Amino acid sequence: MEFGHAITSLASLSGYDLVVGADGINSFLRTHLIGRFGGSTSQLENRFVWYGTNRPFDTLTQTFLANELGTFNAHHYRYAADRTAPSSWSAIRRPWHRAGLDRADAAGSRRLCEQIFAATLQGQPLIDNKSIWRNFPCVCNERWAARQRRPDRRCGT
């Protein structure tokens, strides 16, 4: 058995009887075997960006805010004693445009999010980590196995 092994080619799987891919939304296996899984991907309308902050949160926290620009959401979780990140700061499509986030550069986007969530951040800045606004992906599979073997009749199964 091997754990924590990154699969970078389908050829590297030859000789294995079973491969379990638990590699998240950007799964190499699902991407390369999407037809066998009956998979599809699409983009949802909501946008999100990842920022960090030095403001600690004790637990996973959701912050919903509504203002003249629209409704915004942030979820935050601690990954170190003094750091919370990544945090997802999201906006539904219309407020994202209304706030000018579709036209803002990286620094302007971060500053606007700091202003919107000022009370939540309690004076702490957001930390940029090549943070870009993206759409949430929707990943679906009809099947969770790329190939099913016939039972081995010699074993009586």
Side-chain angles (χ1 to χ4, degrees):
M1 297 181 94
E2 283 186 52
F3 297 95
H5 174 78
I7 298 168
T8 57
S9 77
L10 294 177
S12 69
L13 303 178
S14 66
Y16 288 94
D17 294 324
L18 176 67
V19 176
V20 177
D23 50 350
I25 192 117
N26 294 314
S27 169
F28 175 88
L29 287 174
R30 186 178 45 246
T31 299
H32 287 82
L33 300 173
I34 195 163
R36 291 191 190 175
F37 288 114
S40 65
T41 60
S42 61
Q43 299 294 314
L44 301 176
E45 288 187 12
N46 289 4
R47 300 284 185 143
F48 73 98
V49 65
W50 294 99
Y51 292 117
T53 180
N54 288 327
R55 190 234 192 251
F57 292 86
D58 291 332
T59 61
L60 174 65
T61 305
Q62 281 286 101
T63 302
F64 293 91
L65 295 174
N67 62 24
E68 67 281 356
L69 298 173
T71 302
F72 297 86
N73 173 38
H75 78 271
H76 350 270
Y77 56 92
R78 186 173 44 181
Y79 75 95
D82 62 345
R83 293 270 172 121
T84 300
S87 295
S88 172
W89 307 80
S90 61
I92 60 174
R93 188 172 56 92
R94 277 184 234 138
W96 185 74
H97 287 288
R98 190 178 312 132
L101 290 165
D102 58 330
R103 300 176 303 280
D105 63 9
S109 175
R110 188 187 71 252
R111 280 192 306 270
L112 181 58
C113 288
E114 286 172 342
Q115 291 169 3
I116 291 170
F117 290 98
T120 302
L121 291 168
Q122 298 177 346
Q124 294 295 317
L126 289 175
I127 301 168
D128 194 335
N129 184 18
K130 299 178 187 172
S131 303
I132 58 170
W133 286 95
R134 303 180 274 173
N135 292 80
F136 282 105
C138 181
V139 179
C140 298
N141 288 330
E142 292 176 7
R143 296 174 293 285
W144 289 101
R147 180 181 67 185
Q148 293 182 346
R149 293 184 176 199
R150 291 179 51 186
D152 184 352
R153 300 287 179 214
R154 293 174 298 166
C155 295
T157 58

